[in-house]
Amino acid sequence: MAELNEQKRRKLDSSNGDSPRVLINNENLKDMDNDILFHFGLSTTGNDLPKMFGDVKFVCCGGSTHRMETFANYMLQELGMELPTGQSLSNICSTDRYVMYKVGPVLSINHGIGMPSMSIMLHEIIKLMHYAGCTDVVFFRIGTSGGLGMKPGTVVISEEAVNYKFQPVFQLPILGEMKSWPTTLSKEVAEEVQSCCLPGDDFDAVIKKTLSTDDFYEGQGRLDGAFCEFTVKDKMDYLQSAHDNGVGNVEMESSCFAAMTNRANIKAGVVCVTLIDRLEGDQLSTPANVLHHWEERAQQLVARYILKKLKQHQQQQQRK
């Protein structure tokens, strides 16, 4: 037991040279014999995490299980990797809470809907990346959203996530006290992802603020929920105010995502396609095949960014 604790302590304290490491700030972990990543079905003693995940450089997450499986298979193709005949990518998680697929240096994982589900996933994936000794990792949230003054199908790359008061902070009550953290995202990552939108693409990619809410219906001013205690004018005034404050889209996870990646010293980006202009309506009437095509746009931009970074790394290694 003492030997296991000392191994864990060295992992938590090591700096691994000058490469940015995934940081965790929890002294309690140093005294744990085994850290169980419960919602993934992985653990520090039951799995060789450095061997399994030590080469990961990109963690890409999105809401649905199917979307992240699709993205993993897309990255398999884009990276030019082939599986043996008759085999397919396997879900690494052994629970039914999340799915996780590894394609070379890319990890594809779902986060569910809303910030509580996102938070659970991030706590465990951040610890996993730390225990695995990963460095220079970039996290992405890839998803869908409602636009504000955006043509449906436009990809919005978040410069920061804002709360219901349009403030760039994420707040969480902990033991009866409200805590706050900034929700800025990497400007460098945002601009590089935007540059991956090519002249021949049939969509635009813009950098805007993202309004991150705690609810899909009333919290986003929708008029079509089971309850609605505000008027059409109330809704339009609020959404217009958000638009006037630089908000380009609305979703339910980015504040938590930005705050937690900041705390872990992780470069991060949020890339979401807009499925509807919320200044024009609430319900989606676009055909499913068109929505699916739009969803692929955010994945394409992130994939191009990953391929560009891997190529740059390969060129740097060749020059050494």
Side-chain angles (χ1 to χ4, degrees):
M1 292 293 185
E3 183 180 351
L4 284 174
N5 283 342
E6 184 57 31
Q7 290 175 356
K8 180 81 65 69
R9 193 180 304 277
R10 286 199 296 269
K11 285 181 181 179
L12 291 172
D13 290 341
S14 62
S15 61
N16 203 346
D18 296 326
S19 298
R21 282 209 60 178
V22 175
L23 300 180
I24 55 178
N25 182 24
N26 185 354
E27 293 293 319
N28 299 300
L29 298 178
K30 294 182 179 181
D31 298 320
M32 293 175 61
D33 298 324
N34 181 31
D35 191 356
I36 299 171
L37 307 178
F38 176 73
H39 299 87
F40 296 162
L42 300 169
S43 69
T44 54
T45 59
N47 304 97
D48 188 341
L49 300 181
K51 183 178 180 180
M52 293 172 67
F53 300 101
D55 63 337
V56 170
K57 294 296 182 184
F58 306 95
V59 174
C60 302
C61 62
S64 78
T65 57
H66 175 71
R67 185 183 302 149
M68 298 322 293
E69 180 182 9
T70 299
F71 179 72
N73 280 289
Y74 177 57
M75 287 308 308
L76 188 72
Q77 176 182 333
E78 291 298 297
L79 290 171
M81 302 173 67
E82 292 187 8
L83 297 174
T85 302
Q87 293 190 13
S88 60
L89 287 174
S90 297
N91 174 20
I92 299 171
C93 293
S94 61
T95 74
D96 61 357
R97 296 296 184 181
Y98 300 99
V99 298
M100 182 191 304
Y101 300 93
K102 186 175 184 298
V103 184
V106 180
L107 208 59
S108 181
I109 182 170
N110 80 299
H111 56 62
I113 296 179
M115 286 185 264
S117 181
M118 168 68 85
S119 173
I120 293 168
M121 186 279 291
L122 283 175
H123 271 285
E124 296 189 14
I125 198 65
I126 287 170
K127 288 197 297 178
L128 189 157
M129 292 293 97
H130 183 89
Y131 291 140
C134 297
T135 60
D136 298 305
V137 186
V138 180
F139 276 39
F140 282 104
R141 164 167 146 66
I142 308 170
T144 59
S145 63
L148 290 182
M150 297 287 147
K151 177 184 176 181
T154 299
V155 174
V156 175
I157 305 161
S158 307
E159 61 181 276
E160 63 182 13
V162 297
N163 64 13
Y164 70 103
K165 291 185 176 181
F166 315 136
Q167 300 166 329
V169 295
F170 171 65
Q171 294 183 304
L172 181 69
I174 300 177
L175 302 180
E177 182 180 354
M178 188 64 74
K179 300 289 186 178
S180 299
W181 298 275
T183 54
T184 53
L185 290 152
S186 170
K187 180 180 179 182
E188 174 190 346
V189 170
E191 291 177 347
E192 287 197 63
V193 171
Q194 185 184 39
S195 73
C196 291
C197 187
L198 305 177
D201 288 333
D202 60 348
F203 62 91
D204 294 323
V206 299
I207 298 176
K208 293 283 186 178
K209 296 178 184 178
T210 294
L211 174 60
S212 196
T213 70
D214 294 318
D215 174 61
F216 182 80
Y217 284 97
E218 293 175 285
Q220 294 186 13
R222 279 187 160 82
L223 304 170
D224 57 347
F227 310 100
C228 182
E229 300 176 0
F230 48 84
T231 66
V232 174
K233 184 178 185 303
D234 293 335
K235 166 199 167 177
M236 295 307 299
D237 286 348
Y238 180 77
L239 294 183
Q240 187 62 52
S241 179
H243 180 265
D244 294 344
N245 277 274
V247 172
N249 63 335
V250 187
E251 46 84 91
M252 297 173 59
E253 293 87 16
S254 291
S255 284
C256 175
F257 178 80
M260 292 186 68
T261 50
N262 273 327
R263 295 173 72 187
N265 193 39
I266 296 170
K267 280 186 179 181
V270 176
V271 186
C272 292
V273 69
T274 60
L275 302 183
I276 189 173
D277 184 353
R278 290 295 319 290
L279 296 178
E280 300 293 333
D282 292 340
Q283 293 204 335
L284 284 170
S285 58
T286 306
N289 65 315
V290 176
L291 293 177
H292 177 72
H293 174 64
W294 288 351
E295 287 179 10
E296 293 176 341
R297 293 172 173 177
Q299 296 184 15
Q300 289 171 354
L301 291 185
V302 172
R304 289 173 187 171
Y305 171 91
I306 290 173
L307 293 173
K308 177 182 176 182
K309 287 298 180 182
L310 291 176
K311 183 177 180 180
Q312 290 175 350
H313 177 71
Q314 184 180 34
Q315 292 172 340
Q316 290 171 356
Q317 293 300 109
Q318 291 173 346
R319 287 195 291 267
K320 288 184 179 180

